[in-house]
Amino acid sequence: MRLVFIVGLGAIALSAGHAAAQDAAPEVALPLVEGMTFDDTCGPRPQYQGKAVCVTGPLASIAPVAETYIGHFSGQGWQVVSGQDNGVIFARRRSTGGCDGLEMAAFYDESRPVAPATAGWIAFAPIPGDVCPAAAAQ
C-alpha cells in the first residue's frame, strides 16, 4: 500500500524562515513498510497531526525501517542533506528550479518503559518552499 500526501502546513520541526507565501509542499509517495501501520494520531506527538504522516511499529524495528525509507526516497531522487540521531532532511531538485524538502523523524513515547516491543513512530512531513539556498537553486 502507498499513501500520497501533501502537507502545506509546515515541517515537523516547524522550521522558521519558511514564509506562508512560498511554494507549496511537494507531493510524496509513501509506501507502507512491512510490520508498520499508518497512525493518524502520531502517538505521543499530537502536534504532528495534520502536519505529518506517521507510521508506527515496534521500537526494535524503527531503525531498519528508517533505513528502508531512506533507500526508498533515495531511489526517487531525494538526497540526504542533513541528519541527526532521530531525523533526516531530504532535498530533491525541481525541474523548474529550486528544491523540494522532506523531513523524517523517529520517536517513541518517553513516558513508557523502553523495550523492543514498545511502540515507535516515524513521521514524514514535506517542507514547503524552496529548501535550497538561493545561490545553489540557480
Side-chain angles (χ1 to χ4, degrees), residues 4-5 9 13 16 22 38 47-48 57 59-60 66-67 70 76 87 91 95-96 101-102 108 116 121 127 129 131 135:
V4 175
F5 62 98
L9 298 175
Q22 289 178 326
F38 288 111
Q47 68 270 29
Y48 291 174
L59 189 57
E67 289 297 325
I70 290 169
Q76 292 185 343
S95 61
T96 58
L102 175 66
Y108 64 96
W121 287 263
I127 302 169
V131 299

Side-chain angles (χ1 to χ4, degrees), residues 16-69:
H18 291 292
Q22 289 178 326
D23 299 338
E27 185 176 290
V28 179
L30 181 67
L32 187 58
V33 173
E34 185 177 342
M36 303 298 285
T37 58
F38 288 111
D39 180 4
D40 293 338
T41 70
C42 295
R45 305 278 171 94
Q47 68 270 29
Y48 291 174
Q49 280 183 297
K51 297 179 179 108
V53 172
C54 294
V55 295
T56 187
L59 189 57
S61 67
I62 294 298
V65 167
E67 289 297 325
T68 299
Y69 280 117

Side-chain angles (χ1 to χ4, degrees), residues 12-13 67 70 80-89 103-106:
I12 294 171
E67 289 297 325
I70 290 169
V80 174
V81 294
S82 176
Q84 54 192 19
D85 289 342
N86 296 322
V88 175
I89 303 289
E103 187 168 1
M104 178 179 84

